Amino acid sequence: MNNIIFVDVEVSPQDNRLLDIGAVGADGRIFHSESLQEFTCFARGAGFFCGHNIIEHDMRYIGHAAADVKVIDTLYFSPLLFPEKPYHALVKDDKLQVEELNNPVNDAIKARDLFYDEIAAFNRLSDTMKDIFYILLRNKPQFSGFFEYLKYICKNNETEKMIKKTTKICGNAPISEIARTRPIELAYAIALIATGDPHSLMPPWVHRNFSGVSEIMNRLRNIPCGEKNCAFCAETFGLHKRLKDIFGYEECRVYNSENLQEQAAAAALGNKSLLAVFPTGGGKSITFQLPALIAGEAVRGITVVISPLQSLMKDQVDNLAALGIPGAVTINGLLSPIERTEALQRAENGIASILYISPEQLRSNTIERLLLSRHVVRFVIDEAHCFSSWGQDFRVDYLYIGDFIRELAQKKNHAIPVSCFTATAKQKVISDIREYFKEKLNLDLKLYSTDTARKNLRYQVLYREETEKYSTLRDLISSKACPTIVYVSRTKRSWQLAQKLTDDGHPALPFHGRLDSKTKVENQNAFMNGDVNIVVATKAFGMGVDKKDVGLIIHYDISDSLEDYVQESGRAGRDESIDAICYVLFNDNDLNRHFIMLNQTKLSINEINQVWRAIKQLTRERYSISRSPLEIARLAGWDDSVAEIETRVKTAISALETAGYLTRGKNSPHVFATSILAKTMMEASEIIQRSPNFDAQQKEHAARIMSRLFSSRSTKESDKGESRVDYLADSLGIPKQDVIASIGQLRESGLLSDTKDLTAYIYRSDSLKNSIKILDEFIQLEDFLIQSFSDEPITVNLKEINSLALENAKSSVKNIKTLLFYWVIK
């Protein structure tokens, strides 16, 4: 047909004024002008206007150029006709992939190419699928023009029968009702399901414009109907079969003759909200991981797991990876910029079906955008007692979780279920958690609770004077000779005891919240891998760390609370065949120190009032501000040497928010510069003195800032936030705005950059030859695997294929799993 015009317009973002029109006819004629009158002449006689997002954008400006023209929008057909990875090369979310900037003719040509590709893709569909799309969409303005252009005639009209015959969905799903009320969402869901690819996703713009797609996917494939005649639900939600397929276990764990693990997992599969009280090491992770992985496969959904400590996230992701399950990622402060970017990409592109984050991450606009672009099937809150016993002291941001879920659910236009897990069976804690979610989200959490007693743990309290504690500690470690965790209350003691034990022939590593990220990861891995048998830690270590063979827990200092002690001692004996011992070394002075520390962590009414006065001063001339905790603390007159000052400020703000005095919004970080380009301070000083960008006062400020940054880099203080603008301003006594201005000038002078610093560590024992040898070995093994596999799905025995591989390459089961894992990710 020659009566179709492909068109694109450029509009001023400031005043929505028409700037440029580009068009191309089916006969190859090209139009490029800003004149709407000339375009009207060019388009005379056209029966169709076609473009990408033409309905919502271009037709606002050119619609009256042809009153009776029909419109074809390639945007809406792209997810229907190219739902499978790799997606169409011309489409990027709701935009066209183009090389030239602000060239409407080029965009019109790309829209033409995409349109003809869509026609070809439509013609490749089965007649049944064509009829399904036609019946659902023929009367919708986003789609009707396409069918009219093709002059398509439906060959069938039994919608429900056709959909159930061609799509793997619940046999009892209410197709007729959905087709009547949500036909567009149903069409998109069917197209995605038909791909059979668990990593193909709906484009983010579809979730934004048609928020009901996620709900429809749930109704079709994520709510078991419970009917015996439904083959899909029996296969998809068969708990025992999926437990064996994914984790290799024959049965769910039983607590005191009650099958609570299976009941809780089944409730999650049924889209119910729940609270599970399981003992530490009692299998709670599988209880939420199994439904999450099933939902990831069934509806391309993502489950968000909120955990209080970074060690928990890393450990669980590593455990799943060791099982060959790449569907979990974590985003936390332990990640380098590159690792964080890769984790975000895996969550965005559908590889990840489980996302571990800390509650603080919910204040991030990046995380919110990510979750708005994915089908979020559930929020899992691990260590849910943080709402109660730790709500004010340990994780203030836990109290924001309900508000975040409510706002996200409103934007997505459907409810999101919640699962809470804790090992604390205290009735007050349980009631606090349930009341919180009833008030915030109107959810009634079904309770699955069991006795938290552990049959293979033995507890013993030893009274020891302070001078006797270390010798007792050393004797206990010598007598048991097994993986051991020693808990202490202070970071300084963690270092001291680890060093002393090492000097005495018992290699030990420290672990606490103030370690830099790299050392944290190294020390945790060394303990988990068995490179060192002893870790001396504060309570920052251990929550969720699943090391099966810990046989000894020693509390050198008493825990902050009974709940803490249950958590910490529960790290022992994860393998039920191990008889583990938990010791507490205690004397009367421990209680005195304990109460002193508790009083130091509490906020007084006077301190909250000081923060309130500081905020009122900041908001004297405006209602909304963005300030760091340190700035607020300084304005409140607080001593910045007080430990955990940021936590204390956040706690005060949380109390004020709860009382209705203020509302805390999303974090709004601004990155000014991240890399030092000068090699030495001497070189930086010379450049500053020569630069015309600075006056005398600015040169002094710039030199002091560069000196501080060099010092922070050499002493690793930057990991503690010492290079942040507010810390720089505070420590140097320079106004914050002057610091920001100086950083801009330093960037212009070539001393600072927006790039990220990257450091590569090469061991002296390594050599280029050795690295090339390892690469060659993996290349040979990869070539063998590629030749061994076909395009058809197959089941392989890793040991058998490893035996075959050894005849052709250097191989191991671990290396094969590494390659397979890499293939899945990439």
Side-chain angles (χ1 to χ4, degrees):
M1 291 186 182
N2 291 324
N3 63 340
I4 184 169
I5 299 291
F6 302 94
V7 63
D8 182 80
V9 304
E10 292 294 331
V11 178
S12 168
Q14 285 77 31
D15 54 11
N16 289 324
R17 181 169 48 88
L18 181 63
L19 298 177
D20 203 1
I21 306 173
V24 59
D27 56 2
R29 293 181 302 130
I30 291 178
F31 175 86
H32 191 186
S33 171
E34 62 183 22
S35 170
L36 183 60
Q37 184 177 0
E38 292 178 17
F39 173 72
T40 303
C41 295
F42 175 83
R44 186 172 291 122
F48 296 89
F49 282 174
C50 179
H52 200 70
N53 200 18
I54 187 174
I55 291 176
E56 293 296 324
H57 182 256
D58 305 73
M59 289 302 292
R60 297 177 185 177
Y61 305 95
I62 62 171
H64 52 282
D68 298 325
V69 75
K70 296 180 177 64
V71 179
I72 301 173
D73 200 323
T74 57
L75 170 67
Y76 294 97
F77 269 92
S78 295
L80 285 180
L81 300 173
F82 309 109
E84 188 170 9
K85 284 186 177 179
Y87 305 113
H88 196 286
L90 293 180
V91 181
K92 182 181 181 182
D93 198 8
D94 57 343
K95 301 287 190 286
L96 280 172
Q97 294 273 34
V98 293
E99 294 77 25
E100 297 83 353
L101 296 176
N102 300 320
N103 186 340
V105 173
N106 185 71
D107 288 0
I109 292 172
K110 297 293 185 183
R112 179 196 65 187
D113 296 343
L114 176 58
F115 173 66
Y116 289 133
D117 285 347
E118 287 179 345
I119 291 177
F122 183 80
N123 289 332
R124 288 194 297 269
L125 295 175
S126 67
D127 289 342
T128 303
M129 191 64 79
K130 292 176 187 175
D131 288 347
I132 290 172
F133 288 157
Y134 177 77
I135 293 169
L136 292 175
L137 305 172
R138 67 184 184 275
N139 295 322
K140 301 300 177 184
Q142 302 94 327
F143 303 92
S144 58
F146 183 88
F147 293 112
E148 289 186 46
Y149 179 86
L150 293 181
K151 297 181 179 179
Y152 188 79
I153 300 174
C154 181
K155 302 175 180 61
N156 201 326
N157 202 30
E158 296 179 340
T159 313
E160 181 167 350
K161 185 177 180 180
M162 288 191 295
I163 291 174
K164 289 185 176 180
K165 181 180 178 182
T166 58
T167 313
K168 290 185 177 180
I169 58 174
C170 171
N172 296 292
I175 297 297
S176 297
E177 175 203 336
I178 297 172
R180 185 177 67 257
T181 58
R182 297 283 184 86
I184 296 178
E185 290 90 338
L186 179 58
Y188 283 138
I190 290 170
L192 185 62
I193 294 168
T195 67
D197 176 11
H199 297 142
S200 294
L201 296 178
M202 201 68 68
W205 73 265
V206 174
H207 285 290
R208 291 194 299 268
N209 291 13
F210 303 99
S211 57
V213 170
S214 296
E215 180 187 350
I216 300 306
M217 288 287 287
N218 275 340
R219 296 178 72 180
L220 296 180
R221 288 172 60 92
N222 201 35
I223 301 178
C225 64
E227 299 295 332
K228 294 182 179 178
N229 65 342
C230 181
F232 174 82
C233 289
E235 179 182 350
T236 303
F237 305 111
L239 257 178
H240 291 95
K241 180 180 182 301
R242 303 311 302 272
L243 182 67
K244 181 173 175 52
D245 291 345
I246 297 173
F247 292 101
Y249 295 119
E250 296 288 345
E251 299 289 341
C252 291
R253 184 168 292 187
V254 176
Y255 307 100
N256 298 331
S257 302
E258 286 189 274
N259 204 346
L260 291 179
Q261 189 183 54
E262 181 176 341
Q263 292 175 26
L269 287 175
N271 269 8
K272 302 292 192 298
S273 293
L274 60 101
L275 168 58
V277 183
F278 292 167
T280 300
K284 63 181 177 180
S285 299
I286 286 182
T287 310
F288 64 74
Q289 288 170 351
L290 181 61
L293 293 169
I294 291 174
E297 180 183 314
V299 296
R300 281 66 159 179
I302 190 167
T303 297
V304 182
V305 183
I306 300 174
S307 302
L309 289 178
Q310 295 165 338
S311 58
L312 176 146
M313 308 178 205
K314 179 183 182 304
D315 184 64
Q316 293 201 2
V317 171
D318 288 348
N319 287 344
L320 287 171
L323 293 172
I325 301 171
V329 296
T330 178
I331 298 173
N332 61 62
L334 292 178
L335 303 182
S336 69
I338 289 179
E339 290 171 329
R340 179 182 173 86
T341 300
E342 183 181 5
L344 283 168
Q345 288 175 347
R346 291 176 62 195
E348 289 170 348
N349 64 23
I351 289 176
S353 53
I354 304 177
L355 172 65
Y356 287 87
I357 58 174
S358 66
E360 289 83 359
Q361 294 283 344
L362 297 180
R363 301 273 185 186
S364 163
N365 288 311
T366 301
I367 294 297
E368 183 184 38
R369 285 194 298 270
L370 166 64
L371 297 183
L372 284 172
S373 72
R374 288 292 307 268
H375 176 184
V376 179
V377 295
R378 178 171 296 269
F379 277 88
V380 173
I381 294 91
D382 206 3
E383 313 300 341
H385 53 273
C386 294
F387 283 111
S388 177
S389 60
W390 286 353
Q392 294 296 320
D393 297 329
F394 183 65
R395 275 295 193 265
V396 175
D397 282 280
Y398 255 71
L399 300 181
Y400 177 62
I401 292 174
D403 294 325
F404 180 87
I405 296 174
R406 184 183 65 249
E407 292 171 9
L408 185 71
Q410 288 171 350
K411 291 175 181 177
K412 287 180 169 291
N413 200 30
H414 67 85
I416 303 174
V418 170
S419 294
C420 293
F421 290 85
T422 181
T424 303
K426 199 174 179 180
Q427 285 304 311
K428 182 66 170 68
V429 174
I430 292 173
S431 63
D432 282 353
I433 296 169
R434 299 178 82 180
E435 287 170 8
Y436 175 87
F437 281 100
K438 181 65 176 177
E439 177 186 346
K440 292 287 186 180
L441 300 173
N442 196 29
L443 293 177
D444 294 306
L445 303 187
K446 172 72 174 175
L447 180 62
Y448 298 90
S449 180
T450 186
D451 182 7
T452 58
R454 297 276 299 280
K455 307 301 183 185
N456 64 327
L457 299 188
R458 182 160 60 87
Y459 303 91
Q460 189 169 351
V461 178
L462 302 177
Y463 187 92
R464 294 290 187 273
E465 294 296 340
E466 197 66 33
T467 55
E468 301 173 315
K469 276 190 175 183
Y470 178 73
S471 59
T472 302
L473 170 68
R474 188 179 55 200
D475 292 343
L476 292 174
I477 290 174
S478 298
S479 65
K480 189 72 174 168
C482 65
T484 301
I485 304 175
V486 180
Y487 279 106
V488 295
S489 59
R490 295 179 181 273
T491 57
K492 184 177 180 181
R493 179 166 281 179
S494 171
W495 281 103
Q496 291 173 337
L497 280 184
Q499 186 61 53
K500 202 168 183 180
L501 286 169
T502 301
D503 293 342
D504 287 347
H506 300 287
L509 291 173
F511 192 100
H512 54 77
R514 296 185 183 180
L515 283 175
D516 64 84
S517 299
K518 179 175 177 289
T519 306
K520 273 185 183 178
V521 172
E522 289 175 348
N523 289 5
Q524 181 177 330
N525 286 343
F527 182 66
M528 298 299 293
N529 298 333
D531 298 332
V532 67
N533 252 6
I534 305 168
V535 64
V536 184
T538 63
K539 68 179 182 181
F541 178 79
M543 190 179 294
V545 171
D546 188 16
K547 184 171 172 64
K548 305 288 186 185
D549 56 349
V550 175
L552 182 62
I553 300 285
I554 302 172
H555 277 79
Y556 200 87
D557 300 316
I558 61 175
S559 299
D560 289 352
S561 67
L562 185 58
E563 285 80 8
D564 283 5
Y565 179 73
V566 170
Q567 291 285 334
E568 292 156 7
S569 60
R571 304 305 140 210
R574 290 293 182 96
D575 184 340
E576 294 181 355
S577 65
I578 293 176
D579 290 325
I581 307 177
C582 305
Y583 289 102
V584 178
L585 307 183
F586 168 77
N587 62 60
D588 294 335
N589 289 330
D590 287 339
L591 283 178
N592 294 332
R593 286 194 298 270
H594 178 64
F595 285 121
I596 290 172
M597 289 180 66
L598 280 179
N599 287 330
Q600 288 176 347
T601 63
K602 298 298 181 183
L603 281 178
S604 66
I605 292 295
N606 184 47
E607 288 173 312
I608 295 174
N609 282 333
Q610 289 170 347
V611 170
W612 175 233
R613 283 194 293 270
I615 292 173
K616 284 201 296 183
Q617 183 177 339
L618 289 168
T619 55
R620 185 172 297 164
E621 298 180 357
R622 52 181 174 165
Y623 289 106
S624 177
I625 60 168
S626 177
R627 291 291 186 275
S628 71
L630 181 66
E631 291 175 278
I632 295 173
R634 295 285 293 175
L635 192 59
W638 285 12
D639 180 4
D640 61 6
S641 65
V642 175
E644 306 296 339
I645 192 168
E646 291 200 13
T647 300
R648 293 172 68 81
V649 171
K650 289 179 182 178
T651 302
I653 290 174
S654 177
L656 291 167
E657 186 174 22
T658 302
Y661 286 90
L662 53 81
T663 300
R664 183 182 166 197
K666 294 283 191 301
N667 293 336
S668 55
H670 299 283
V671 178
F672 294 99
T674 55
S675 292
I676 302 172
L677 299 183
K679 295 180 180 178
T680 65
M681 185 59 209
M682 184 179 297
E683 178 186 338
S685 297
E686 291 175 357
I687 294 174
I688 291 171
Q689 292 303 317
R690 293 197 309 265
S691 174
N693 295 333
F694 306 95
D695 60 28
Q697 181 67 53
Q698 291 168 340
K699 286 180 179 179
E700 180 185 342
H701 287 171
R704 293 177 63 200
I705 289 169
M706 288 301 299
S707 177
R708 181 65 180 180
L709 292 176
F710 272 108
S711 174
S712 297
R713 187 170 70 174
S714 63
T715 59
K716 295 186 178 180
E717 287 180 341
S718 57
D719 284 330
K720 303 173 186 177
E722 298 300 323
S723 58
R724 278 173 29 182
V725 168
D726 51 352
Y727 277 90
L728 284 170
D730 188 60
S731 62
L732 297 175
I734 302 174
K736 180 181 173 182
Q737 292 306 314
D738 290 349
V739 172
I740 294 173
S742 293
I743 289 174
Q745 292 165 331
L746 288 167
R747 184 163 46 188
E748 290 175 10
S749 301
L751 289 170
L752 294 178
S753 170
D754 293 330
T755 57
K756 295 288 183 183
D757 289 319
L758 298 178
T759 303
Y761 294 92
I762 302 175
Y763 294 101
R764 291 179 180 177
S765 59
D766 288 349
S767 67
L768 180 61
K769 184 180 293 184
N770 189 44
S771 300
I772 293 175
K773 179 184 176 185
I774 293 171
L775 178 61
D776 286 340
E777 290 172 355
F778 270 98
I779 289 173
Q780 291 173 15
L781 179 57
E782 190 171 37
D783 287 342
F784 169 78
L785 293 178
I786 291 171
Q787 294 170 13
S788 302
F789 297 157
S790 65
D791 290 337
E792 299 299 319
I794 59 171
T795 301
V796 297
N797 183 296
L798 289 176
K799 290 185 178 179
E800 289 180 4
I801 201 164
N802 181 53
S803 298
L804 295 172
L806 286 170
E807 299 175 6
N808 301 273
K810 187 172 182 179
S811 176
S812 68
V813 170
K814 180 181 178 182
N815 287 351
I816 291 174
K817 290 172 72 173
T818 297
L819 279 172
L820 295 177
F821 187 78
Y822 178 80
W823 287 357
V824 170
I825 291 173
K826 294 301 179 184

